[in-house]
Amino acid sequence: QVQLVESGGGLAQAGGSLRLSCAASRSTFSIPLMGWYRQAPGGQRELVATITSGGSTNYADSVKGRFTISRDNAKNTVYLQMNSLKPEDTAVYRCNARLTLDASYWGQGTQVTVSS
């Protein structure tokens, strides 16, 4: 089992930057896959970015070139650096840790609001 706590959300202007952090209660080195998802008001949850324990990354087309996911195993933390923010990036962002196909854990979420 793993507990996840997100931080770093808030209000940003279009074109600005924010960095989200996801602190895990266990070694992130032991977690095969971690990722960020988001859900806008009235919308469905969508994948933003994922990173494997080996460092391989995957991004939604809508954030490629603007967002960067990384992990610091020494700090048991995964980050999402968000640059060139757009109003359509406004959503609740949640961190996910997948240990196995049947074991997936979520953080409580952090709100990101981008004003135009």
Side-chain angles (χ1 to χ4, degrees):
Q1 197 171 23
V2 57
Q3 284 77 48
L4 303 169
V5 178
E6 300 102 333
S7 61
L11 178 65
Q13 290 188 332
S17 299
L18 286 172
R19 188 177 80 155
L20 306 183
S21 299
C22 173
S25 62
R26 61 183 282 177
S27 170
T28 51
F29 183 77
S30 68
I31 302 174
L33 185 68
M34 297 192 70
W36 289 94
Y37 292 74
R38 68 186 181 187
Q39 186 167 13
Q44 293 187 334
R45 184 173 65 202
E46 63 174 351
L47 179 146
V48 177
T50 60
I51 186 167
T52 69
S53 56
S56 297
T57 58
N58 180 56
Y59 296 92
D61 287 342
S62 59
V63 306
K64 281 181 181 177
R66 300 188 298 122
F67 291 10
T68 302
I69 188 171
S70 62
R71 61 198 294 171
D72 186 338
N73 292 329
K75 296 182 178 179
N76 296 334
T77 301
V78 172
Y79 303 98
L80 184 68
Q81 178 67 44
M82 305 186 294
N83 299 329
S84 302
L85 284 163
K86 303 176 180 180
E88 51 264 44
D89 294 321
T90 295
V92 174
Y93 285 70
R94 297 182 72 188
C95 180
N96 176 265
R98 181 170 293 278
L99 301 182
T100 68
L101 288 176
D102 298 323
S104 179
Y105 300 90
W106 294 91
Q108 81 288 350
T110 185
Q111 176 70 46
V112 171
T113 303
V114 183
S115 63
S116 57

